[in-house]
Amino acid sequence: RNRRRCRSPKNSLMSGPLTRLAVLAFTVFALTVVFTVDSSAQSVSRIHFARGAVSAIAGGSLNGYKDKRTFVIKVRAGQTLTTEQSGGRPITIEVIRPDGEPFEGDMDLSCHNRHEVTPTEAGDYRLVVTECQKADSWRGRFRFKVTVR
């Protein structure tokens, strides 16, 4: 049997330590891009109420201090929007008005997970949930209650 082996020339660009170095560099670059994607780029979750209900429970998971989840809720002008934590893990809820400005609520020494916005402006309010910076770090699921009257 005549089996011919196909060998690439020794001076080829596709052989040797330079090729392995290039592949390694590309792999490191690709993994860096994949694992440094900002978690804030995740989709926004819209909060819906059951028919006739004035409150809903929303939740998700966080993977550290830099992680955040964003929720959107549509309200009418003149209503009262209330948020409060309903799980055991300490969270901070930032309320952002329809005009893009943060709601400046009571800045006490807590984790800022209870807010009452009254009266509301008409439009979409964003609720940005992060880990409470004043508590021990944790990873896992959270829940909070939103009420609109």
Side-chain angles (χ1 to χ4, degrees), residues 42 45 57-64 67-69 71 85-92 129-132 136-144:
Q42 294 181 358
S45 300
I57 300 292
S61 62
L62 295 172
N63 293 314
D67 204 6
K68 64 182 174 181
R69 295 293 175 269
F71 298 85
Q85 180 176 335
S86 66
R89 301 230 164 101
I91 58 173
T92 297
V129 179
T130 56
E131 267 190 58
C132 177
D136 291 334
S137 180
W138 58 270
R139 290 187 167 128
R141 302 202 52 79
F142 66 87
R143 292 171 26 136
F144 67 99

Side-chain angles (χ1 to χ4, degrees), residues 46-66:
R46 183 163 291 275
I47 298 173
H48 296 281
F49 293 115
R51 188 171 188 89
V54 295
S55 65
I57 300 292
S61 62
L62 295 172
N63 293 314
Y65 280 137
K66 293 184 179 183

Side-chain angles (χ1 to χ4, degrees), residues 7-73:
R7 293 184 185 179
S8 60
K10 290 190 178 192
N11 293 337
S12 170
L13 291 175
M14 297 306 292
S15 66
L18 283 179
T19 301
R20 283 181 282 226
L21 183 61
V23 169
L24 178 64
F26 177 76
T27 303
V28 169
F29 172 74
L31 289 174
T32 302
V33 170
V34 167
F35 288 111
T36 58
V37 172
D38 185 12
S39 64
S40 65
Q42 294 181 358
S43 65
V44 173
S45 300
R46 183 163 291 275
I47 298 173
H48 296 281
F49 293 115
R51 188 171 188 89
V54 295
S55 65
I57 300 292
S61 62
L62 295 172
N63 293 314
Y65 280 137
K66 293 184 179 183
D67 204 6
K68 64 182 174 181
R69 295 293 175 269
T70 303
F71 298 85
V72 176
I73 185 166

